[in-house]
Amino acid sequence: MDALSDDAGGKRARGLDRAFEILDFLRQKRQALKPNEIAAQIGAPRSSVYELVNLLLRNGILEFTGGEGRVYLGRKLYFLGAAYENHFDFTRECEAVLERLADETRETAQFCMLDGNKYTVVRMREGARPFRISTDVGQSVPIPWTASGRLLVAHMSNEDILTFIPPQDFCLPSGEWLDPQAFLAEVRQAERDGLFTFNSIVDSFTHCFAVPVTDEEGHVAATLCLVAPRDDGLANRERYLDCLKDAARGLSHAPARPKRS
């Protein structure tokens, strides 16, 4: 009986893992897809994907959209996210900090974290520029492509970093390969300096700034970033870093702090 129960529990756990894989895949693709397309692209059995998609549809986690049986993330996820944000003071504090940074510098300000083994922008405030120069909120980006990535993995050993980051993520948007050892050297320099800045790898005309936001144990839990036109970023480097450091001091130790009742 115990063996049967363990087996059933294992199947349920694998089903949950697969359901989250489907949700993450749709989030990364940013488009509605048919269940058979999802199954093919995540390498899962079609029967399992159809069963899980139907379950998620019944619970409002997925919704039909775009016709021909395509599905995408459902509005129930919005309500769940809103409930999460309502429970934490930190989200409100983060929004206020980003607004102040964008006002002080006129540049795009971002709050960034790791999502699994990828980098993502969690919150963003656009700067006063007439054109967008930033990554979309929630978009997964390879860690080596980002200034923040050097800080977000700095608590790991070199060996753990190379195990954590998929080898293909060292292939840059240009098609060139970033030497992992050069990346590790930059990680250690960022750890010593408590910041990292560079000319963006993703495009050719921006300069990126990142400073750490630490948790209660002093570990880097997130980063605050500025994305600026390259010439302006270089000309205002010290002022922008001062603004970022001051803002990060106000946010550090704040993540995961629930509102007091």
Side-chain angles (χ1 to χ4, degrees):
M1 181 66 69
D2 288 343
L4 289 174
S5 298
D6 289 345
D7 185 57
K11 288 181 178 178
R12 283 195 296 271
R14 289 191 293 274
L16 279 172
D17 287 342
R18 184 70 77 188
F20 283 119
E21 184 180 6
I22 291 169
L23 296 175
D24 273 337
F25 177 73
L26 288 171
R27 177 176 68 88
Q28 292 166 13
K29 296 295 288 185
R30 300 297 183 96
Q31 66 182 94
L33 294 168
K34 299 176 184 178
N36 64 316
E37 294 172 328
I38 297 171
Q41 293 188 54
I42 68 174
R46 286 176 47 174
S47 58
S48 299
V49 170
Y50 272 97
E51 181 180 356
L52 287 168
V53 164
N54 285 328
L55 176 63
L56 294 169
L57 285 167
R58 288 198 299 271
N59 285 278
I61 303 300
L62 293 179
E63 294 179 357
F64 285 115
T65 182
E68 298 184 349
R70 293 184 178 87
V71 298
Y72 193 62
L73 305 176
R75 67 192 69 186
K76 177 67 75 64
L77 293 172
Y78 171 81
F79 296 127
L80 292 172
Y84 173 83
E85 289 192 352
N86 186 58
H87 186 63
F88 288 89
D89 283 329
F90 176 66
T91 300
R92 194 174 302 110
E93 295 176 20
C94 186
E95 294 284 3
V97 165
L98 292 176
E99 182 173 358
R100 188 174 75 248
L101 269 173
D103 288 344
E104 289 175 347
T105 65
R106 300 183 69 251
E107 310 295 358
T108 295
Q110 299 176 334
F111 177 80
C112 308
M113 301 179 77
L114 291 181
D115 179 18
N117 60 4
K118 294 292 190 289
Y119 153 98
T120 189
V121 177
V122 179
R123 286 284 184 274
M124 179 171 64
R125 179 63 183 254
E126 295 280 1
R129 300 286 177 184
F131 50 90
R132 284 188 92 246
I133 56 174
S134 54
T135 300
D136 290 334
V137 171
Q139 181 179 347
S140 294
V141 176
I143 291 169
W145 296 10
T146 68
S148 290
R150 275 76 174 164
L151 294 163
L152 291 169
V153 298
H155 63 286
M156 301 180 185
S157 69
N158 288 356
E159 293 76 13
D160 287 342
I161 290 172
L162 295 182
T163 300
F164 181 66
I165 298 176
Q168 63 271 22
D169 284 5
F170 288 98
C171 182
L172 306 180
S174 64
E176 298 178 10
W177 284 86
L178 174 62
D179 180 2
Q181 294 304 315
F183 174 77
L184 293 175
E186 291 176 343
V187 168
R188 296 306 162 214
Q189 188 63 52
E191 184 179 25
R192 289 190 293 271
D193 294 344
L195 60 92
F196 192 78
T197 76
F198 72 165
N199 290 328
S200 175
I201 288 174
V202 178
D203 62 59
S204 60
F205 60 90
T206 62
H207 194 80
C208 302
F209 302 80
V211 301
V213 175
T214 56
D215 60 22
E216 293 181 352
E217 297 180 350
H219 300 143
V220 178
T223 59
L224 278 177
C225 311
L226 286 174
V227 184
R230 182 171 295 183
D231 290 345
D232 290 343
L234 293 172
N236 293 282
R237 185 177 188 274
E238 296 308 317
R239 183 171 72 85
Y240 286 1
L241 285 172
D242 286 343
C243 291
L244 276 172
K245 290 175 184 178
D246 182 61
R249 280 192 290 270
L251 279 182
S252 287
H253 316 310
R257 185 176 67 205
K259 290 198 298 188
R260 295 176 182 174
S261 55

